[in-house]
Amino acid sequence: MSPLIHIDEATSARLADDMNQHGYATLEHALGTEALSELRAYVDQQAARHNNQYFAYHGYAALAGSSLATLGKSPDFKLLLARLHAQGTGRQPASDEIFPVLRCVQGGSGRKESNAFHYDATLLTMLIPIFTPLEGEQRGDLILFPNLRKVRAWVVMNVLEKFLFQNALCRKLITACIDRGLLKPTTLRIVPGNVYFFWGYRSLHANQPCDPAFRRATALFHFGDPHAGSLVTRLILKLNQHRARKVVARTDAPQS
Ligand SMILES: O=C(O)CCC(=O)C(=O)O
Ligand SMILES: [Fe+2]
């Protein structure tokens, strides 16, 4: 899959600018039909193992053998994300590790995992929609409060903000305010074939619920941990890993 995601320098500069100016960037028709079909076949296969209920795979061990793992490990892809990071922030990333994730929101259990607003642990997030509901009112759009915060100089500030925003009460409050029109997030209808970028660390975000009858599958590549090597970040990651394990059994490296 890696040769299929080509981003030349000018396009990459445009994506960085869009993320800074508008809070997200879209690369249209980034995936060919073949690459998308391969991903869909993989998701179909895995979804069957989870009785068509919610599952998420974090990291390379969980995704072993998939084109997502191959892409995440590709040196060219690493360079591509590093360039985008540098163009958007004026800085080289502190770490060049890429964390791949596959999320599949489906069935009744997908509801709990929707409207789960959070900041990612890493600065740059690349989102590949694989399946999205084509019908129904709730199509699992991506909701973003873009570029709400800066990269925190102190990792402890990052942790405090995470505790403040990423809890059940706050989620309910944010969702209620959106429903009543008091908060107006950016709503992105994600389309398979396109690829999306945003500053996940800086933007509070979540997916909207989708009709339990339909499947919403996304692949995410998380890149550029601003607190690379920090003990506290590792602890957050461990806690997230623990949470992911409660939902599904397969996980080796968590995000957000
Ligand atoms: O699936 C999505 O649309 C977003 C998931 C996400 O934000 C994450 O895994 O960090
Ligand atoms: Fe996220």
Side-chain angles (χ1 to χ4, degrees):
M1 186 153 125
S2 77
L4 295 178
I5 298 194
H6 278 307
I7 304 182
D8 62 35
E9 197 156 347
T11 307
S12 178
R14 191 268 295 169
L15 295 174
D17 198 51
D18 281 354
M19 282 194 286
N20 288 337
Q21 300 297 323
H22 310 296
Y24 70 91
T26 308
L27 188 65
E28 293 199 327
H29 314 299
L31 281 193
T33 336
E34 213 175 296
L36 190 58
S37 308
E38 192 183 327
L39 284 175
R40 287 185 162 173
Y42 176 71
V43 172
D44 280 340
Q45 208 178 44
Q46 301 307 315
R49 305 179 60 207
H50 296 280
N51 299 320
N52 293 312
Q53 292 296 319
Y54 176 85
F55 70 92
Y57 290 172
H58 293 250
Y60 292 99
L63 289 163
S66 70
S67 56
L68 295 172
T70 312
L71 178 61
K73 285 182 178 169
S74 137
D76 284 349
F77 186 51
K78 221 170 237 193
L79 287 175
L80 193 150
L81 293 186
R83 183 175 63 189
L84 186 53
H85 182 289
Q87 285 170 321
T89 64
R91 267 187 241 149
Q92 290 300 325
S95 150
D96 69 352
E97 225 174 322
I98 299 175
F99 300 95
V101 175
L102 171 69
R103 288 182 81 230
C104 190
V105 177
Q106 56 181 356
S109 64
R111 296 227 150 236
K112 277 206 303 285
E113 304 300 324
S114 300
N115 285 329
F117 288 95
H118 64 278
Y119 290 116
D120 289 339
T122 51
L123 191 57
L124 178 60
T125 305
M126 171 174 157
L127 185 152
I128 304 181
I130 302 172
F131 285 111
T132 51
L134 297 172
E135 303 166 39
E137 272 192 15
Q138 298 192 305
R139 299 199 190 177
D141 294 341
L142 183 75
I143 358 175
L144 283 165
F145 294 98
N147 303 339
L148 213 53
R149 64 173 192 162
K150 294 193 166 123
V151 169
R152 300 305 182 200
W154 299 91
V155 69
V156 67
M157 275 304 290
N158 181 34
V159 177
L160 281 177
E161 283 170 342
K162 276 173 157 295
F163 276 114
L164 208 62
F165 289 110
Q166 294 176 209
N167 55 68
L169 184 69
C170 200
R171 283 170 186 179
K172 276 195 189 130
L173 200 66
I174 297 173
T175 310
C177 287
I178 294 174
D179 289 347
R180 283 167 183 70
L182 299 172
L183 285 176
K184 295 194 173 25
T186 301
T187 303
L188 200 57
R189 170 130 320 162
I190 50 172
V191 179
N194 294 348
V195 167
Y196 302 86
F197 298 88
F198 57 97
W199 301 118
Y201 177 102
R202 299 184 52 205
S203 310
L204 200 62
H205 59 279
N207 67 272
Q208 274 185 338
C210 58
D211 193 320
F214 297 100
R215 179 179 293 164
R216 177 194 189 275
T218 47
L220 297 119
F221 290 94
H222 295 286
F223 179 79
D225 176 3
H227 309 289
S230 141
L231 264 180
V232 185
T233 302
R234 292 205 174 271
L235 189 65
I236 300 174
L237 292 178
K238 277 265 171 281
L239 286 173
N240 286 330
Q241 197 169 28
H242 181 69
R243 187 179 159 271
R245 266 205 208 104
K246 282 201 295 194
V247 187
V248 282
R250 297 178 70 193
T251 176
D252 74 353
Q255 266 309 298
S256 72

